[in-house]
Amino acid sequence: MAEQVTITRLGAKADGIAESASGPVFVPMALPGETVTIERDGARARLVSVDAASPERETPFCPYFDACGGCATQHMRHGFYQDWKRDTLVHTLRQARIEAPVAPLIDAHGDGRRRVTLHVRFPDRAMRVGYMAARSHEVVEIAFCPIAEPALKHAAPPVARAIGEHLRSSRKPLDIQITAVETGLDVDVRGHGPLMDKDRLSLIGLAEKLDLARLSIHGDVVVERRPPAIRMGKALVVPPAGSFLQATRLGEETLAGLVTEACQGAKRVADLFSGVGPFALRLAEKAEVHAVETEAGAIAALDKAFRATPGLRRVTSEARDLFRRPLLTPELNAFDAVVIDPPRAGAEAQAKQLAVSKVPLIVSVSCDAATFARDAAILMGSGYRLERVVPVDQFKHSPHLEVIGILRRETAKKRR
């Protein structure tokens, strides 16, 4: 049944929130101050119409916005959006009882996302290629993605469709990750399982037809026609198939710039959860670096890039599960600075070890404000001061935010 409500505020996931007798109701694509008609399903609702619009509302630029689940904020004016995103971080820190200066939001969208994951599904003998609808497993078919880099914007859907056609006989749900690299497109297919020889040969021919740099299945390389290189400072890195990268090129450069600026003057730096080296390889232009990462393939790619790049200081590397085996105090005390960039779950075990160390400077990078605040609170409870927090928006048009915090030990730890 349709009903009319007034939106009072925005939630952390960009939903408009209306108050009702039974509690808050979350309305996607609605803004504070608006009167809207909704159809409610418990605490969630579908927006039927905007009856009195906010002056902060604008027309979304993507024709798929109301169906695709990839973006959540294209209906917001840019300044309002930026304020909301920064305020969400401030609120999260305040909830954790953390007081620290929060810098203005940095827009790091640049040319757009350098990686997209398109879903291929086979309902009722048809084939659908696109993104998932919001809170759904339904595929919204797209012909292009306006928030992707120019190399991906129009090219990614046809590539995913061609691969889906070649693997159609299995009718397995496929997730096709396509990354724009220096040498073309790097494609990793998930969901299919091991290939038969005929399928492998077919895909090798397809990769040549599509002029792909590399094509892999579940990280297993089918064909590499050109090394799928990515520039990180002075170095060229060839990451393992399907490995983690920052969402945008400008996002990576912005984060790395903030990290290297914070570590200025440090002679020995530990880069924890280093990935393929976006921070370590840039830090090595001025400092010795020890890079630690769970994935052995990422560490191997980092090490190879270091050895092939003249002019860098020494980079040592280690494959190690920092959730199960965090660096311990005696190891940490050898460094002037520690950079830590964990997955969304944060790094509680490593933060506890850092808290009892003598490391004078910690640069914490996170894609989740809540776990950033949790880990920062552990460090602050043991004598670190959170000098400043910088929000970096490389996940534009979404609620996701990258955060950098600079923590400095105010006084040397006393020995017992």
Side-chain angles (χ1 to χ4, degrees), residues 185-265:
L185 298 182
D186 182 21
V187 181
D188 186 49
V189 181
R190 305 269 164 165
H192 186 275
L195 290 173
M196 297 178 65
D197 288 345
K198 66 179 181 63
D199 292 325
R200 185 173 289 269
L201 288 171
S202 173
L203 286 177
I204 290 171
L206 180 64
E208 184 171 355
K209 180 180 177 181
L210 298 174
D211 193 29
L212 304 180
R214 179 172 64 183
L215 177 61
S216 56
I217 302 283
H218 292 273
D220 174 33
V221 176
V222 175
V223 61
E224 182 174 294
R225 302 178 61 249
R226 297 180 296 277
I230 295 174
R231 183 161 293 284
M232 294 182 176
K234 294 179 179 179
L236 272 176
V237 182
V238 178
S243 66
F244 172 80
L245 293 171
Q246 298 293 349
T248 69
R249 295 175 202 268
L250 182 59
E252 180 185 291
E253 291 168 4
T254 301
L255 293 170
L258 291 165
V259 166
T260 53
E261 179 187 15
C263 293
Q264 197 166 21

Side-chain angles (χ1 to χ4, degrees), residues 303-323:
D303 183 64
K304 185 176 181 180
F306 157 65
R307 295 178 186 281
T309 307
L312 298 183
R313 301 201 178 178
R314 187 165 68 110
V315 177
T316 56
S317 52
E318 178 183 2
R320 177 167 171 172
D321 185 342
L322 291 169
F323 293 108

Side-chain angles (χ1 to χ4, degrees), residues 104-323:
L105 184 76
I106 297 175
D107 186 340
H109 182 69
D111 289 334
R113 303 288 182 92
R114 63 179 172 187
R115 168 175 287 175
V116 298
T117 299
L118 291 168
H119 308 288
V120 179
R121 300 294 185 265
F122 301 93
D124 303 323
R125 298 185 181 180
M127 183 175 73
R128 290 183 174 273
V129 179
Y131 294 136
M132 293 295 184
R135 293 177 290 276
S136 170
H137 295 294
E138 292 293 318
V139 171
V140 177
E141 292 199 277
I142 65 166
F144 68 100
C145 177
I147 68 164
E149 279 194 4
L152 287 177
K153 182 177 179 179
H154 292 283
V159 167
R161 182 168 292 279
I163 291 170
E165 289 287 1
H166 270 66
L167 299 176
R168 189 183 190 117
S169 60
S170 71
R171 302 191 65 79
K172 291 182 179 178
L174 305 175
D175 300 319
I176 301 179
Q177 180 178 276
I178 307 173
T179 306
V181 297
E182 298 279 333
T183 51
L185 298 182
D186 182 21
V187 181
D188 186 49
V189 181
R190 305 269 164 165
H192 186 275
L195 290 173
M196 297 178 65
D197 288 345
K198 66 179 181 63
D199 292 325
R200 185 173 289 269
L201 288 171
S202 173
L203 286 177
I204 290 171
L206 180 64
E208 184 171 355
K209 180 180 177 181
L210 298 174
D211 193 29
L212 304 180
R214 179 172 64 183
L215 177 61
S216 56
I217 302 283
H218 292 273
D220 174 33
V221 176
V222 175
V223 61
E224 182 174 294
R225 302 178 61 249
R226 297 180 296 277
I230 295 174
R231 183 161 293 284
M232 294 182 176
K234 294 179 179 179
L236 272 176
V237 182
V238 178
S243 66
F244 172 80
L245 293 171
Q246 298 293 349
T248 69
R249 295 175 202 268
L250 182 59
E252 180 185 291
E253 291 168 4
T254 301
L255 293 170
L258 291 165
V259 166
T260 53
E261 179 187 15
C263 293
Q264 197 166 21
K267 294 180 179 179
R268 290 207 70 211
V269 181
D271 182 10
L272 309 184
F273 300 96
S274 66
V276 297
F279 302 150
L281 292 167
R282 290 175 170 96
L283 287 165
E285 295 179 20
K286 293 185 178 179
E288 290 190 1
V289 181
H290 182 58
V292 185
E293 164 61 40
T294 301
E295 297 297 329
I299 281 292
L302 189 163
D303 183 64
K304 185 176 181 180
F306 157 65
R307 295 178 186 281
T309 307
L312 298 183
R313 301 201 178 178
R314 187 165 68 110
V315 177
T316 56
S317 52
E318 178 183 2
R320 177 167 171 172
D321 185 342
L322 291 169
F323 293 108

Side-chain angles (χ1 to χ4, degrees), residues 77 157 338:
R77 289 194 183 278
V338 170

